Amino acid sequence: MIYSRNRRLRVNESMRGLVRECSLSVNDFVMPIFVMEGENKQEAIASMPGIFRRSIDLTVKECKELFSLGVKAVNLYMKVSDHLKDNTGKEAWNKDGLMQNTIKAIKDAVPEMVIMPDVALDPYSIYGHDGIIENGKIINDATNDALARMAVSHAEAGADIVAPSDMMDGRVLAIREALEESGFHDVGILSYAAKYASSFYGPFRSALDSAPKDNMEIPKDKKTYQMDFHNSREALNEVFKDVKEGADIIMIKPGLPYLDIVAKVREAIDLPIAIYNVSGEYAMLKAAAQNGWLDNDKAIIESLTCFKRAGADMIFTYAAKEAAILLQ
């Protein structure tokens, strides 16, 4: 005789909903957005169906639509013109730069939208690296100084949270000190604390032309600063240091292949955890759906829910707009 039957709590959707351990909401989403120079311009990103580079005016229009759907946070990335790139990244803190003007335009149009600009030098670098290069190496501390200037310029433009994604050592402290000294006590830091050197970033780098350049004099990849994907204990080390330095939110990136890292970090800290459903994950799902191998809508909701189940509080995903419509 069987007395304990787990299937009793799966008998119908009402019962399954009653005992459900986690739920997905539009409030969980942050939408990454690519911005380009120009006016009334939009370019499709071939490897990311449904995702575009847009000029500022069309970006503002998209943000208004996102907010109307309940997506209340955006993560900004700039497609920087080649003539503005160098080895210092100085365009990154130009008060009249593309990022700064984008932040201002969104804040003016949608004041309650939470704006999280990316803080990293790779879109501004002639080498496609996240740091300044000297003698063939990415130098840490000078890069931190540049990142701090970049973060302050974002705060001056109206950013709510700055999001350093570079993985330099000590950059959270450098940014926090710079923000405090400049009077931006309420601007938060979302630190990419555990960002792995992953092969799942390909479509993103194509979208921004930010991949490391093929140059024998510089590192061919980002493995000297992004994490080794073989490691998990190292992620906790990175997280603890960033928490101590003043991070307000901790990011783990990529997403689906790293749910074990999310779960470990969730057990170790009380701060909010973000996870990035990166471009390669999005592209794989879309390619499979276009070939009829997956149900697009069901796969999106299932994968995003898995992030919540693992312990994430917020999800950076290119499917944010689509998921918001599905959840309605």
Side-chain angles (χ1 to χ4, degrees), residues 313-327:
D313 299 288
M314 64 191 74
I315 306 165
F316 286 53
T317 177
Y318 302 98
K321 184 177 181 180
E322 194 173 356
I325 293 169
L326 291 172
L327 289 173

Side-chain angles (χ1 to χ4, degrees), residues 23-43:
S23 59
L24 187 68
S25 162
V26 68
N27 293 317
D28 301 324
F29 302 148
V30 180
M31 180 71 180
I33 289 181
F34 301 116
V35 185
M36 62 186 294
E37 296 282 3
E39 186 175 349
N40 195 32
K41 291 180 68 175
Q42 176 172 288
E43 295 177 354

Side-chain angles (χ1 to χ4, degrees), residues 13-204:
E13 179 55 29
S14 296
M15 183 64 75
R16 292 190 294 272
L18 193 63
V19 300
R20 193 156 285 154
E21 297 174 21
C22 71
S23 59
L24 187 68
S25 162
V26 68
N27 293 317
D28 301 324
F29 302 148
V30 180
M31 180 71 180
I33 289 181
F34 301 116
V35 185
M36 62 186 294
E37 296 282 3
E39 186 175 349
N40 195 32
K41 291 180 68 175
Q42 176 172 288
E43 295 177 354
I45 300 170
S47 56
M48 301 171 69
I51 304 300
F52 301 87
R53 287 181 293 264
R54 297 182 176 90
S55 52
I56 293 179
D57 55 330
L58 296 187
T59 296
V60 168
K61 182 179 179 182
E62 178 71 3
C63 286
K64 288 180 178 178
E65 185 173 354
L66 286 167
F67 199 82
S68 72
L69 291 169
V71 179
K72 301 186 176 88
V74 291
N75 176 220
L76 301 180
Y77 298 90
M78 302 297 111
K79 175 68 170 68
V80 180
S81 299
D82 287 344
H83 74 277
L84 296 174
K85 297 181 181 183
D86 63 11
N87 187 37
T88 71
K90 65 180 183 294
E91 178 62 20
W93 54 87
N94 178 0
K95 291 181 181 294
D96 195 35
L98 182 59
M99 175 69 88
Q100 289 74 9
N101 287 334
T102 301
I103 295 170
K104 293 172 188 174
I106 296 172
K107 266 302 175 193
D108 286 344
V110 196
E112 294 183 25
M113 179 69 84
V114 176
I115 301 177
M116 304 182 185
D118 181 61
V119 178
L121 297 185
D122 51 332
Y124 303 88
S125 168
I126 54 174
Y127 299 116
H129 272 288
D130 292 52
I132 297 167
I133 293 179
E134 287 184 5
N135 300 318
K137 294 182 179 180
I138 291 88
I139 56 172
N140 194 92
D141 296 2
T143 296
N144 284 348
D145 293 340
L147 295 172
R149 295 185 68 176
M150 185 179 183
V152 169
S153 78
H154 293 174
E156 289 172 343
D160 300 283
I161 295 173
V162 294
S165 63
D166 55 284
M167 289 296 287
M168 297 297 120
D169 292 331
R171 91 278 204 214
V172 172
L173 180 59
I175 290 170
R176 185 73 268 162
E177 289 179 342
L179 290 171
E180 294 296 320
E181 290 169 3
S182 301
F184 294 109
H185 312 298
D186 294 331
V187 173
I189 298 175
L190 184 150
S191 170
Y192 287 61
K195 180 179 179 179
Y196 285 82
S198 172
S199 59
F200 288 91
Y201 302 148
F204 173 94

Side-chain angles (χ1 to χ4, degrees), residues 218-234:
I218 64 171
K220 64 180 179 180
D221 53 40
K222 302 188 177 186
K223 293 181 180 180
T224 64
Y225 47 100
Q226 294 180 356
M227 280 184 56
D228 185 343
F229 66 82
H230 299 85
N231 299 348
S232 63
R233 293 192 303 272
E234 183 186 6

Side-chain angles (χ1 to χ4, degrees), residues 203-260:
F204 173 94
R205 290 174 179 171
S206 296
L208 291 184
D209 186 27
S210 62
K213 306 307 178 189
D214 187 10
N215 186 322
M216 292 293 289
E217 298 178 358
I218 64 171
K220 64 180 179 180
D221 53 40
K222 302 188 177 186
K223 293 181 180 180
T224 64
Y225 47 100
Q226 294 180 356
M227 280 184 56
D228 185 343
F229 66 82
H230 299 85
N231 299 348
S232 63
R233 293 192 303 272
E234 183 186 6
L236 291 175
N237 184 306
E238 291 279 2
V239 167
F240 291 149
K241 286 180 178 177
D242 284 4
V243 171
K244 186 176 181 180
E245 290 179 13
D248 300 286
I249 304 169
I250 293 298
M251 168 70 85
I252 295 160
K253 183 180 180 180
L256 286 174
Y258 294 83
L259 295 181
D260 61 316

